[in-house]
Amino acid sequence: MNIFMKRFGWALLMLGMAQPAFGGSEMTSLNMVEDGRTIYERSCLICHGASGKGDGPAAFYNAAFSASRARDFTVGNYKFRSTVSGSLPVDQDLFRTVTDGIPGSMPSFSGLSIEQRWQVVAYIKTFYSGFQEETPESISLNGSPIPSTAASIQRGKALFEEMDCASCHGKQARGDGSVALAGELKDSRGLLISPNDLTNRTGWKNGTTVRDMVRTLFTGLDGTPMPSYESQLAGHKEDAWHLANYILSLSHHE
Amino acid sequence: MAYGERFFQPCLKTALALAFVLFSTSLAGCISEAEAIPAFARKYEVNCHVCHTRQPRLNPFGEQFLENGYQMPGTEDGGIVAKLKYGDLTLDQVSNYLGVLFATTGIEHTELKREIEGSGDQTELGSPTILRLFTAGTITNNVGFFVETTTIFGRSSELELGRAFVTLNNLGGMNWGHLRVGRFDPSAYFSMARGRPQFVPIGPKLAPPFGAFSTPTVNRWSLTQSAYASKFYGLFNRSRTAIQPYDSTLFNSPEEVGIDIHGRPFGDWFLYQVGVLNGGNERAGDSNNSKDWYVMTRFDYAQSHDFSANLSGFAYFGNHNAKVSTNADVSRSRYGVGARMRYKWLDIYGAYTIDRVTDLPSGMESTFDSTATGVTVEAHAMVTDRLLLGTRYDHLDAGGLLATRKSATFVGVQAKYYLRSNMAFTVRDDFNVRNVEGGTSAARNLRNRFSVDLSIVF
């Protein structure tokens, strides 16, 4: 098959997948899962384990004494989502993590083709039956970003103090808040976890754009002490953009 | 004097060790802002433990990264495919392909039986210091490379080329065959890879006579893995230089010129490796047209529960790859098995090898033992997030000239404290398990060696 036609056909298939979990024909889904299984066993099993419990032979070394250990796909608890806290991620969330990796913990698998990454996403979802029962939806980020003006940053700084972000991230946002220093922050596995140093974007695990930051504020990072601030920001969602502008202003980025 | 007394007696040794630790700790504080990490970790923006149990030992993920020619398991990495102009090249891009290892022995104290001229108890500071530069990565999809140079100050101030090879990966399909061409360590995929020891090999101290078919006096026995040692007394390479019984050779040479292929065509449970080498452990090339060849297989077990294990076996067939003092060529071969088990913070590995010399000249059979064996077992465990404890057992049942051969057995204990994931202090002691004998045998005269080392990789 002509490679262009093959890619075109694949793009059509992806469009179909954008709706419910598996869209398209049942046979196509089964083939995807089976192909995804092959890729998973080559590329993912070493850390996430044959049964997807995050107990692969290499998982322990990456986080022996502190978070974050390889994701347990069997419990349906995902950190990096665009959905409300407690929900499953949408396919695009999983695809984004496979593609970009997680700084510090998981390398990017952009070396896999786009087709292969979607296939492995399809297989990962088979570890948790909830994916067949729920239809997660991404939350709305409430319009376009607010320009990063001095006023916006100033408002964001005030919000940073009001919302007590400093207790974990520290007054200078270097990840050295009093709760963190006391060793009280742990993930769902009971491993010590450090808040992000918000002055250094290279370690940000859920993206570095203003949209990524706002998404993180709304969704939280399930399984970690970072909560969703959706309820606090309800009714004045523009404050999320101000807070994101302030946090981004703390770090230099080209 | 009891062993314990010998160990704790030297106050000078303790004082110097404390001073070295304090100095180096302050140094570490000065550079803590640099957040130095090795090249592959920089390139992929992950921490060292994604690939290592503890550097330099690889975890299963790191092993598959290595097997795939420095590409993520199951993937093809394009590397830098576009030609960059000088002005477009950033320091980050350069640092993603360059790595540096710096290691120094701050304090070294050796106790010897004072019966060899020029030897005796010694305390040394700051020697040797090793600086190793390497560049590695991928050039384009499925084409990788590795080049390293090493300087050992005190022995030579020159850069010496170490391993240097190109890899062509995934020939015939994903994981079917990965080809290496150049100077490489044949044992890199074996259960107990020679080049990734937690117990760094300790070099010997040699004295005259040097020269063709001369065997230098060994004032201090070298502490290397006995399983990988030459094991024979009275062998010479084709440059007529003595091959010392502790030298790592054959399948376990530091680097050999050749070509080999490995892969996992039937899945992750089975790895094959076949190769051809110039052989003879000769860094300067091989004037002999006959080649050595080898085959290795490895079986991997376990895919979950934080557990992994593997079992390997190899056969290395030498072909006129050494000489005896009569200038006659002999053939050295090696057969070995190795195993490794990892469970959470515990890592145990070992190897047993049998070496055989064939084609001996007639008349030498009665004075030359043509079979020798060696065993090395090593274990280490992280007991806190910064402290690694380890131990190693080495036994060499020597062969070669019956008049001079001496077997050796050593045990090492080591504590490695990581100031950072890429910077560690090591306090180590190796002691001779056998009773000290008189005579000129270096294997029996080295009683004990204590050292404090510092290593930094960035």
Side-chain angles (χ1 to χ4, degrees), chain A residues 41 43 50 55 61-62 104-105, chain B residues 45 47 49 73 304-306 344:
Chain A
E41 289 178 350
S43 301
D55 62 352
Y61 308 105
N62 198 19
S105 305
Chain B
E45 296 183 333
N47 68 52
H49 310 315
S304 286
H305 308 298
D306 300 315
K344 293 193 173 180

Side-chain angles (χ1 to χ4, degrees), chain B residues 22-75:
Chain B
L22 287 172
F23 169 75
S24 302
T25 305
S26 63
L27 175 70
C30 293
I31 63 174
S32 63
E33 295 300 315
E35 196 60 44
I37 52 175
F40 289 136
R42 278 192 290 269
K43 181 178 176 183
Y44 293 103
E45 296 183 333
V46 292
N47 68 52
C48 309
H49 310 315
V50 168
C51 284
H52 295 277
T53 55
R54 277 298 181 270
Q55 194 273 335
R57 298 294 296 178
L58 292 174
N59 67 35
F61 187 91
E63 288 175 350
Q64 295 214 355
F65 178 75
L66 176 71
E67 288 174 23
N68 199 28
Y70 311 117
Q71 303 179 121
M72 286 299 148
T75 72

